[in-house]
């Protein structure tokens, strides 16, 4: 029992004692544990690292192969694309060449002829120059005409002045005002006055009835701006004084028509007129105005149909052709026969003595 | 004796009436008297004298009325209100030529002021009697009637149609052929005023055979007549292509070009108007004008005129150049561009400058060659200054902007573009820069590809 009581008294500290005695080894145990852990962790680390390294190497190889495969694929694509681009560029360049040629050809042939346009513009500019020149000439001509007209007007005015001042001409006794003795030469007006014809009094001209234009008339410019007044309506004369005859009788008597004698009434060439009258009446009865022509004229153009005797080839032969003496064509040689025997006197006179009266011309 | 005294009273009265009406007619020639006359109530007095027994008094009264109505439109309205017109029209048919002239003068004086008064004249049936007067023997009567018809037809298309329906056009064409110059002038101006309103009326004038006669008379030396004829032809040809072709077929070229050298300003203006109206319709007509040498003549005419006389010529060049680039090139080689740029800089009026700017734009917009030809003459800075200046009218600004834009879009001539880089507003600057890029980019590209990718700074 005492031990129990002693044990029970010590029991509270047993736990602590037990704990403290066990814990003395703890740091050593811990130290060893730590060392073991360190060694293990280091080793494990090395292991894992080696494994990872291994894996890395393997993965690198795989990736290397994989990437090279991809790269080659990509390269192929790139090559394809580059090739394609190159070919397309070539085609484009060729197409541009063709299109260029074709467009040039088409524009030149169908749409727009450049040389024609140049030609046209040249022609237009030439026409312009020609027109400009022509218009200048026209303007010059007009100016010349105007100047000439002005000069002529001046000339006429001067001439008229000289004619009006003709009385100022110098005479032998008295020198005129334009011919002063103190001058070396007479004034040009003097010569003008000498040339001019003196102005006579204006003869009363026949008043022309020119048509005044409306504007002149309306502006009252002429002296006779208003139309002449017509004759006023007649004012009845005052009645005369005295017993008067009946007015109708008087008027009848006053205005009785003329009753001339037959000799006066008829015109002087009555006979001729009457003949004309008659001729005209007879003419009315004519059917045709042409005179009737004689039958010879009618038959003039008729073709003559000869009779059977005459229409044959072998007609009557004229004496001239029959006798060889009359027809030189019948001679054998070109000379006539010599007459050996003297001809009869009668026959020698043939053709010479007879008159030509009976011969047909 | 008493009878003689009685008759003497009547004679005195007649003399007094004659004197009164002659004095009134003479006073009415001076404008300062007319107010006094109006206040004295001359209108009603003249109206009664118009119905007088004596023809002389009638004629003089009509003349006085005409002069009064001529002065201003109040008096003309008073003439219409007093119902004078029906009486005039009625006696116009019957009386002698002096009265006809005076009555036609009254109608003309009333009709010239406004369309309503002209309508009043038409309503009282004056047109038929006026047309009958056109057939009269006396040229003065014809002239007065033609003048009245001209003033009536001038206002608008309905009145012109009424004049045409009364059958005036063939008679006017006959009047043109008469020997009196004044009658020819008035008839030509009447035809011009009829034809100007609409194509149908112009067609009526052409159908009456007026064009051939008008074309023959272009050679007449009288300046006023030429002016009216050219105006008539231009009014006819402005409406449609067919009418313009008909005018051209009457062989006016190259005779019309001599009119461009005339001394009278109006003749030059009307001649260039006529050529403009012909050239504006189609490219073929413009080509015809160019082939006849019309462009050179018009350019010379522009050079010799000043002011409004130049305007139709400038517009004609613009129309010709607008049709096609060949025609624009033809304008350029005829030395049109220097002349137009001179007009642009010298003229004081805005509308002429606007026309010159438009014409230059039309010339320069076709190809780079054309734009270069315009740019070489240094007009682009002038156009820019007109666009920028605040004093220019809106029309001028719009036109110069369009011209600059059109020319710049084709211009590759760099020395002309350089000044624009400095002082142009942004909306124009972008076009300038675009053009620079077009010119310089291939150049840069060539250099870079040559030096193996290194940008050269030259």
């Amino acid at each position: 029992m005492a031990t129990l009581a002693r044990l029970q008294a010590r029991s509270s500290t047993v736990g602590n004692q037990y704990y403290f005695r066990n814990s003395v080894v703890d740091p050593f145990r811990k130290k060893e544990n730590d060392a073991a852990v360190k060694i293990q962790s280091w080793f494990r680390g090395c292991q894992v690292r080696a494994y990872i390294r291994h894996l890395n190497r393997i993965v690198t190889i795989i990736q290397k192969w994989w990437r090279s495969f991809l790269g080659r694929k990509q390269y192929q694509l790139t090559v394809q694309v580059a090739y394609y681009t190159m070919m397309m560029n070539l085609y484009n360049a060729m197409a541009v060449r063709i299109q260029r040629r074709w467009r040039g050809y088409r524009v030149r042939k169908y749409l727009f002829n450049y040389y024609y346009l140049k030609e046209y513009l040249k022609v237009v500019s030439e026409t312009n120059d020609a027109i400009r020149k022509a218009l200048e000439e026209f303007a010059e001509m007009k100016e010349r005409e105007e100047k000439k007209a002005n000069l002529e007007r001046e000339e006429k005015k001067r001439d008229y002045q000289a004619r009006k001042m003709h009385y100022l001409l110098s005479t032998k006794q008295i020198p005129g005002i334009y011919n002063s003795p103190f001058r070396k030469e007479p004034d040009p007006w003097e010569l003008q006055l000498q040339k001019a014809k003196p102005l006579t009094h204006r003869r009363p001209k026949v008043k022309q009835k020119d048509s005044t234009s409306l504007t002149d008339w309306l502006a009252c410019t002429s002296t006779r701006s208003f139309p002449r007044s017509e004759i006023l309506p007649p004012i009845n004369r005052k009645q005369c004084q005295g017993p008067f005859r009946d007015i109708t009788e008087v008027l009848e008597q006053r205005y009785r028509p003329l009753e001339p004698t037959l000799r006066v009434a008829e015109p002087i060439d009555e006979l001729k007129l009457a003949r004309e009258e008659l001729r005209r009446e007879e003419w009315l009865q004519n059917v045709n105005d042409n005179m009737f022509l004689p039958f010879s004229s009618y038959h003039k153009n008729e073709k003559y149909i000869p009779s059977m005797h005459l229409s044959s080839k072998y007609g009557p032969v004229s004496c001239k052709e029959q006798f060889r003496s009359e027809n030189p064509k019948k001679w054998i040689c070109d000379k006539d026969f010599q007459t050996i025997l003297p001809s009869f006197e009668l026959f020698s006179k043939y053709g010479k003595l007879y008159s030509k009266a009976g011969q047909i011309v | 004796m008493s009878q003689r005294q009685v008759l003497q009273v009547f004679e005195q009265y007649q003399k007094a009436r004659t004197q009164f009406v002659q004095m009134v007619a003479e006073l009415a020639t001076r404008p300062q008297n007319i107010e006094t006359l109006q206040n004295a109530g001359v209108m009603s007095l003249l109206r009664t004298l118009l119905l007088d027994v004596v023809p002389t008094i009638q004629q003089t009264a009509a003349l006085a009325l005409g002069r009064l109505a001529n002065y201003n439109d109040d008096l003309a309205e008073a003439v219409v209100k007093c119902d004078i017109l029906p009486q005039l029209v009625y006696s116009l048919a019957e009386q002698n030529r002096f009265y006809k002239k005076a009555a036609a003068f009254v109608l003309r004086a009333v009709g010239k002021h406004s369309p309503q008064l002209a309508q009043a004249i038409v309503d009282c049936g004056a047109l038929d009697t006026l047309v009958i007067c056109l057939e009269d023997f006396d040229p003065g009567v014809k002239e007065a009637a033609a003048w009245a018809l001209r003033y009536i037809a001038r206002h608008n298309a309905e009145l012109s149609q009424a004049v045409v329906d009364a059958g005036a056009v063939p008679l006017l064409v006959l009047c043109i052929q008469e020997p009196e110059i004044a009658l020819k002038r008035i008839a030509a101006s009447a035809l011009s005023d009829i034809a100007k309103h609409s194509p149908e009326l112009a067609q009526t004038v052409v159908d009456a055979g007026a064009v051939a006669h008008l074309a023959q008379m272009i050679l007449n030396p009288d300046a006023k007549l030429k002016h009216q004829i050219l105006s008539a032809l231009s009014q006819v040809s402005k409406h449609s292509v067919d009418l313009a072709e008909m005018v051209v077929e009457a062989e006016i070229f190259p005779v019309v070009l001599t009119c461009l050298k005339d001394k009278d300003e109006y003749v030059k203006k009307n001649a260039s108007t006529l050529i403009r109206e012909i050239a504006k319709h189609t490219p073929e007509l413009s080509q015809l004008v160019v082939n006849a040498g019309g462009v050179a003549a018009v350019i010379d005419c522009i050079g010799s005129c000043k002011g409004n006389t130049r305007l139709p010529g400038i517009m004609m060049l613009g129309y010709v150049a607008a049709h096609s680039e060949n025609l624009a090139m033809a304008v350029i080689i005829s030395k049109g561009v220097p002349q137009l740029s001179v007009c642009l800089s010298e003229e004081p009026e805005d509308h002429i400058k606007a026309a010159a700017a438009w014409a230059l734009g039309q010339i320069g917009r076709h190809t780079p060659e054309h734009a270069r030809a315009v740019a070489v003459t240094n007009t682009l800075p002038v156009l820019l200054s007109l666009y920028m200046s605040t004093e220019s009218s809106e029309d001028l600004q719009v036109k110069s902007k369009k011209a600059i834009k059109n020319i710049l879009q084709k211009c590759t001539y760099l020395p002309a573009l350089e000044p624009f880089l400095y002082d142009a507003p942004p909306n124009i600057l972008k076009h300038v820069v675009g053009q620079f890029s077009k010119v310089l980019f291939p150049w840069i590209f060539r250099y870079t590809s040559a030096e193996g990718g290194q940008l050269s700074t030259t």
Side-chain angles (χ1 to χ4, degrees):
Chain A
M1 226 35 156
T3 36
L4 187 66
R6 209 186 324 124
L7 275 168
Q8 270 180 342
R10 258 212 261 162
S11 67
S12 56
T13 57
V14 168
N16 286 344
Q17 280 284 326
Y18 184 71
Y19 178 70
F20 283 129
R21 286 191 193 167
N22 280 343
S23 67
V24 167
V25 191
D26 275 342
F28 298 109
R29 218 183 260 155
K30 189 163 181 291
K31 202 170 164 191
E32 281 171 16
N33 203 14
D34 286 343
V37 163
K38 213 169 196 180
I39 294 169
Q40 280 173 9
S41 73
W42 186 263
F43 183 73
R44 284 201 178 125
C46 287
Q47 225 183 11
V48 165
R49 272 192 290 275
Y51 183 62
I52 285 174
R53 223 179 344 232
H54 173 70
L55 281 180
N56 268 344
R57 260 186 246 127
I58 292 173
V59 160
T60 308
I61 293 171
I62 294 172
Q63 283 179 354
K64 176 180 82 180
W65 280 101
W66 177 245
R67 278 181 191 162
S68 70
F69 170 72
L70 278 183
R72 249 172 271 129
K73 233 176 42 172
Q74 189 64 33
Y75 168 73
Q76 252 190 3
L77 281 178
T78 317
V79 160
Q80 265 182 6
V81 163
Y83 177 72
Y84 179 75
T85 318
M86 192 181 78
M87 292 311 283
M88 289 310 285
N89 281 346
L90 181 72
Y91 295 151
N92 278 345
M94 295 301 118
V96 162
R97 257 186 228 181
I98 297 171
Q99 283 175 7
R100 177 165 58 207
R101 289 296 201 148
W102 162 250
R103 279 183 189 163
Y105 169 75
R106 172 173 162 256
V107 161
R108 270 189 291 273
K109 184 157 170 161
Y110 297 118
L111 294 182
F112 169 66
N113 190 347
Y114 172 69
Y115 293 105
Y116 181 77
L117 178 73
K118 267 182 79 165
E119 204 45 51
Y120 171 70
L121 289 175
K122 199 164 79 130
V123 165
V124 164
S125 78
E126 276 169 17
T127 316
N128 285 345
D129 290 332
I131 290 270
R132 280 190 170 128
K133 218 168 66 163
L135 286 179
E136 290 250 352
E137 275 174 25
F138 176 77
E140 256 175 59
M141 188 187 75
K142 274 265 152 102
E143 269 207 47
R144 252 181 287 141
E145 276 179 16
E146 232 190 83
K147 252 189 261 178
K148 212 165 68 168
N150 280 345
L151 280 173
E152 272 180 19
R153 231 178 300 140
E154 293 275 307
E155 190 64 45
K156 256 178 82 166
K157 227 172 64 169
R158 235 178 308 134
D159 205 30
Y160 183 64
Q161 279 286 91
R163 285 184 75 187
K164 278 204 332 194
M165 296 198 304
H166 190 260
Y167 57 89
L168 294 173
L169 189 63
S170 60
T171 56
K172 201 158 180 176
Q173 281 289 339
I174 309 171
I177 55 172
Y178 291 118
N179 192 8
S180 161
F182 304 114
R183 282 166 72 105
K184 247 194 297 183
E185 294 170 343
D187 196 86
W189 267 114
E190 179 68 28
L191 303 164
Q192 194 90 14
L193 288 174
Q194 278 175 12
K195 272 192 264 172
K197 200 172 75 160
L199 204 61
T200 51
H201 289 291
R202 208 184 290 162
R203 259 176 245 130
K205 279 206 207 127
V206 178
K207 215 33 159 321
Q208 291 156 315
K209 220 185 203 177
D210 49 353
S211 57
T212 50
S213 73
L214 193 69
T215 43
D216 288 339
W217 187 58
L218 291 169
C220 288
T221 45
S222 70
T223 48
R224 296 181 185 284
S225 42
F226 301 108
R228 308 269 188 89
S229 51
E230 287 174 7
I231 301 171
L232 295 175
I235 301 169
N236 289 329
R237 257 177 220 290
K238 63 173 189 173
Q239 219 60 38
C240 309
Q241 191 191 6
F244 293 119
R245 287 171 58 192
D246 186 18
I247 186 73
T248 47
E249 271 180 30
V250 170
L251 286 174
E252 212 178 322
Q253 205 172 30
R254 192 182 288 178
Y255 295 118
R256 202 208 339 239
L258 180 67
E259 292 164 22
T261 61
L262 194 65
R263 184 179 152 269
V264 172
E266 301 301 318
I268 208 165
D269 50 357
E270 165 67 18
L271 191 60
K272 202 158 66 169
L273 288 174
R275 279 189 186 139
E276 283 292 310
E277 186 74 38
L278 206 59
R279 207 171 291 158
R280 248 180 283 135
E281 277 186 19
E282 286 197 352
W283 176 79
L284 280 174
Q285 292 165 6
N286 285 351
V287 168
N288 191 353
D289 272 339
N290 299 334
M291 295 286 292
F292 285 126
L293 299 168
F295 290 116
S296 62
S297 306
Y298 177 68
H299 290 294
K300 206 189 280 181
N301 293 335
E302 219 181 52
K303 207 158 159 1
Y304 170 63
I305 304 168
S307 64
M308 221 170 72
H309 287 288
L310 292 171
S311 57
S312 72
K313 231 183 345 178
Y314 308 100
V317 183
S318 68
C319 294
K320 290 238 164 171
E321 298 215 347
Q322 198 172 35
F323 298 131
R324 59 159 297 289
S325 58
E326 300 296 306
N327 191 2
K329 285 203 194 126
K330 282 202 164 203
W331 294 351
I332 299 163
C333 51
D334 43 351
K335 278 197 296 192
D336 202 354
F337 289 147
Q338 278 176 333
T339 48
I340 300 170
L341 299 171
S343 57
F344 289 120
E345 271 189 42
L346 183 65
F347 291 150
S348 66
K349 296 177 198 152
Y350 171 71
K352 291 181 198 136
L353 280 184
Y354 304 148
S355 73
K356 298 214 186 270
Q359 283 183 0
I360 305 167
V361 179
Chain B
M1 286 303 260
S2 66
Q3 230 167 13
R4 188 197 277 181
Q5 279 174 344
V6 168
L7 289 168
Q8 212 170 22
V9 170
F10 277 96
E11 271 189 55
Q12 270 179 356
Y13 179 49
Q14 189 169 330
K15 270 203 200 83
R17 287 202 314 272
T18 326
Q19 206 181 21
F20 168 70
V21 83
Q22 281 179 355
M23 288 310 298
V24 166
E26 239 166 296
L27 285 173
T29 51
R30 289 190 201 80
Q32 56 263 32
N33 299 334
I34 291 189
E35 296 287 332
T36 337
L37 284 171
Q38 195 183 3
N39 295 337
V42 71
M43 203 57 79
S44 39
L45 290 170
L46 284 176
R47 177 167 160 231
T48 36
L49 283 174
L50 205 57
L51 304 167
D52 200 274
V53 176
V54 180
T56 325
I57 298 183
Q58 278 181 6
Q59 289 153 17
T60 327
L63 180 61
L65 267 175
R67 286 187 190 152
L68 287 170
N70 203 8
Y71 179 66
N72 72 3
D73 49 348
D74 290 327
L75 285 164
E77 272 202 55
V79 167
V80 174
K81 264 192 238 159
C82 295
D83 281 336
I84 296 178
L85 291 177
Q87 175 60 32
L88 269 178
V89 171
Y90 175 68
S91 35
L92 193 65
E94 292 163 10
Q95 300 273 4
N96 65 1
R97 59 191 171 112
F98 293 111
Y99 187 81
K100 282 188 188 172
K101 273 198 244 188
F105 174 48
V106 176
L107 290 172
R108 154 177 141 225
V110 169
K112 84 174 186 190
H113 294 287
S114 80
Q116 290 80 19
L117 290 167
Q119 188 63 43
I121 293 182
V122 173
D123 289 337
C124 59
L127 284 179
D128 294 319
T129 26
L130 281 172
V131 168
I132 293 173
C133 283
L134 272 180
E135 291 175 318
D136 199 273
F137 290 112
D138 185 43
V141 173
K142 283 199 262 209
E143 192 182 326
W147 213 332
L149 286 169
R150 175 202 174 186
Y151 277 154
I152 292 173
R154 198 160 69 155
H155 296 288
N156 61 27
E158 287 85 28
L159 290 163
S160 292
Q161 190 62 45
V163 169
V164 169
D165 289 336
V169 176
L171 292 167
L172 284 171
V173 174
L174 279 173
C175 282
I176 281 191
Q177 302 165 33
E178 297 280 327
E180 290 83 21
I181 296 265
L183 182 56
K184 283 202 230 243
R185 264 187 232 149
I186 302 290
S189 63
L191 286 171
S192 157
D193 282 331
I194 289 175
K196 78 181 179 193
H197 296 288
S198 83
E200 291 80 28
L201 290 164
Q203 188 66 43
T204 323
V205 169
V206 169
D207 288 337
V211 174
H213 296 295
L214 288 171
Q216 272 168 7
M217 289 196 293
I218 290 185
L219 291 168
N220 197 301
D222 185 46
K224 288 203 190 113
L225 177 62
K226 268 201 272 218
H227 159 226
Q228 296 294 353
I229 289 170
L230 291 168
S231 144
L233 285 171
S234 60
Q235 302 290 7
V236 162
S237 57
K238 82 178 180 193
H239 293 288
S240 81
V241 185
D242 298 317
L243 290 166
E245 277 176 8
M246 245 179 273
V247 170
V248 167
E249 271 166 32
E251 290 177 23
I252 49 171
F253 286 104
V255 177
V256 139
L257 302 179
T258 56
C259 294
L260 285 170
K261 277 278 182 189
D262 201 276
K263 292 218 176 29
D264 191 43
E265 295 290 320
Y266 286 111
V267 171
K268 281 199 252 199
K269 184 171 175 205
N270 281 8
S272 34
T273 312
L274 172 61
I275 301 180
R276 172 188 90 194
E277 301 296 349
I278 289 176
K280 86 176 184 199
H281 292 288
T282 66
E284 287 79 26
L285 283 168
S286 297
Q287 182 130 35
L288 200 137
V289 173
V290 168
N291 289 353
V295 172
V298 166
I299 290 173
D300 285 346
C301 174
I302 292 179
S304 65
C305 302
K306 296 257 170 269
N308 259 323
T309 336
R310 274 176 166 170
L311 184 61
I314 297 177
M315 289 178 73
M316 179 255 178
L317 290 176
Y319 280 125
V320 165
H323 284 298
S324 86
E325 51 183 65
N326 300 341
L327 292 169
M329 188 50 91
V331 172
I332 290 175
I333 60 163
S334 316
K335 307 185 186 70
V337 180
Q339 193 59 257
L340 281 174
S341 54
V342 160
C343 285
L344 191 65
S345 16
E346 315 186 317
E347 283 293 326
E349 306 231 341
D350 272 355
H351 61 272
I352 306 179
K353 282 205 219 232
W358 170 78
L360 282 167
Q362 295 299 330
I363 294 176
R365 75 180 165 97
H366 297 282
T367 70
E369 295 294 325
H370 296 80
R372 184 206 172 97
V374 174
V376 158
T377 58
N378 284 330
T379 42
L380 291 175
V382 180
L383 282 171
L384 182 66
S385 64
L386 283 174
Y387 172 54
M388 305 287 282
S389 103
T390 46
E391 296 168 347
S392 334
S393 66
E394 213 179 290
D395 181 46
L396 175 58
Q397 278 182 344
V398 162
K399 289 212 164 86
S400 44
K401 171 167 176 251
K402 263 191 157 174
I404 294 177
K405 204 171 122 186
N406 286 339
I407 296 174
L408 279 180
Q409 272 171 345
K410 296 278 175 176
C411 183
T412 52
Y413 183 58
L414 296 179
L417 289 180
E418 271 176 57
F420 274 76
L421 287 173
Y422 301 114
D423 50 8
N427 52 352
I428 293 184
L429 199 56
K430 73 175 184 222
H431 293 295
V432 177
V433 174
Q435 287 303 111
F436 266 105
S437 74
K438 274 190 222 167
V439 173
L440 295 177
F441 179 64
W443 186 77
I444 295 174
F445 190 68
R446 223 181 315 134
Y447 264 80
T448 55
S449 58
E451 304 207 6
Q454 291 192 352
L455 209 69
S456 143
T457 49
T458 41

